[in-house]
Amino acid sequence: MLNTRGATLKGNVLGDIRAEQDRIMLDTAFWESADYKSLLESYDRPIIVGRRGTGKSALAYRLSKHWGSKPKTLVLSISPEEEQVIGLRDIFEQFGDKYLHIKAGTKMAWRYAIYMEILVELGGHYKYKNNLDLSQVREHYTSWGSRRQSISTKIRRKLKSVLNESDSPQSRIADLSDNLELDLIEEVLLEALEKSNAQCVVFADRLDEGYSPDNLGVGIIDGFIQAAIDIKFRLKERVVAFAFVRDNIYRAISKLDPDFTRNIEGQTLRLHWDEYNLFNLVCFRLKSAFTCEHENSVRIWNQYAVKELKGREGFRLALRLTLYRPRDILVLLNEAFLKANSNDREQIILDDIEYTAKTISINRLNDLHKEYEYIFPSIEEFTKSFYGRESEMAVKDTQPLIESVLNQDRFERNKQQDIFLFSDSRQVLQRLYSVGFIGVHNQQSASFVFCHDGKDPDKEFSGETRILVHPCYWLALAIGKSGINLEEAEEINDEYEIEVTSESKEIRSKRIEVLIQDLSEIKEGKEGAYDFETWCVNVIKILFAGTLCNVEAHPNKNSLQQRDIVATNLEESRFWKRILNDYKTRQIIFEIKNYKDLSATEYRQLHSYLCHDYGSFAFIVTRAINNNLEKGKELNWARELYSEHKKFVVVLSYKFLEKHLKKLRNPQKHDALDKELNSLLDTYVRRYFPNKCK
């Protein structure tokens, strides 16, 4: 009988899920997957992309060991800490707020940093230093800093010394290459490596530490990736840099970087794990952990997994509760062995797996929410709508669940805007499919197909289409399992390569473009009045999501006072707090006029509306090209209403709404509308309305 108890008491019998704490297993029981072997054979794809837990750090460690054992090869590892990356943000902000500017500046900064790290490595090598001409770059060499200091700290210090605060961001970028003497350093490095007949391999891991999903955060990592790609060509493959990037960051880069397809896409290797590779990974670790003498993977597994878990079929029972990632299955089995050990057993059974599966399921759902919260802010609300339901449903049966979320308007701003940008439940299902939450039944293969790459799907949904919530989320959402049998569960697979046409756009931008296009087709005047009002309802919901709720057209249809659009002021921003405090307005009126020129009638009409909860403030939305009041009648009517009746009416141009709708394609600028409305209000008070003290 094998003594496994001593091993299981360690807690992580199959190894630690953190590569930096898992060196023993990585040294003794590393499974050489197809991805690993392809990276050994070629460095044509130096950008390695994978979701959380797909083994990026483990790959970086083993690849660095491989190259480190080769003659005439230097290996450098770059793994920034969270606080170091955060510390870079303020210095990189000097490149401006435009994405392309940030990328250009950070690319040169990272290139310099990598060059200097190699330069220091060469200068400290007993043999290669003789081929290094330091006379030309001595100032750079001596000022860079020791190996003990982080690369982030050193590049921050260097940029502080060369960036001129009085220059514009464009000037700083234009002068940076010369200030850093990049071409000179490049020549010195290439000469030294060629004379030494040596190669340097750089591994950059944990680039997501301190990451923020804004232009600056994405641009910092994009700059590093571009630098890694450029260095290989600039130094004639004497230096090769591998960058390990999390999938959600990579997708953010693909959306923000217009040069992504040309420069990055063809340099990328996406990590993929299937049942075969995961089974062998686990068995390799079992063999090492328990000093098993078997060589065959199935025999190794069967020695430690019994009853329902026996054989490959039993392994699939465990695997279906994961996202086909090494981290998931290792966590599951580590906990299962702990449970078995606590019951004086040396072998795991299905009960041990189920004991820990709910916690893991909750963690996986939280991971899903975190990974996609930037590009799909309302994902948590839509996944929660499936709580307590069956695992398998027809699309028509999911529609009431999704519409219960679509009809809400009390969520925080980012979530609410995201929700309003979905036109129907079908779009939500497509999005949930694209992030791997649900799978779609494939009639040809009689299985459910899942997508885990975050791409927009090419799947079509009819009312009878069968969908399945991924099994790894069942326990977290208390989802019933009766809707799927064992045979179907065994057929669940991941679809990584989805054909996406060039016309496909990210849903948020696509929906905004549709609204903008709709506006261009609405005719002014009576003929287009209804369409313009409908357009305004949709846009007001989106623009003021989280600050106004219950946006409704003609709320009192049987009354003579048929206000066009009314919304409830939630006083969730500075502007709307000001409206409630200064003008006592809880119910906000938007009168919609599909023409340019206003008359006294429109102002008299609003005067009759403004009382009680409607306070003394309202908007008129017109087809004027700007928000300025025309001198003469229009200005006089607004002044009269304010001076004699203390009623405040602000005219909004449709162009104003359109402008801020376009700005939503960059969600970081979510306060721009609030600031401009505050400024517009100040204009009325200071310029348009008289300030006569009695």
Side-chain angles (χ1 to χ4, degrees), residues 570-582:
L570 296 175
E571 53 179 320
E572 288 292 334
S573 73
R574 287 181 297 173
F575 175 76
W576 292 112
K577 285 178 182 177
R578 179 179 179 182
I579 295 303
L580 186 65
N581 293 335
D582 294 357

Side-chain angles (χ1 to χ4, degrees), residues 145-157:
S146 69
R147 298 178 189 177
R148 294 190 303 273
Q149 292 179 304
S150 74
I151 189 172
S152 305
T153 300
K154 289 183 279 192
I155 189 57
R156 190 171 187 271
R157 183 175 62 237

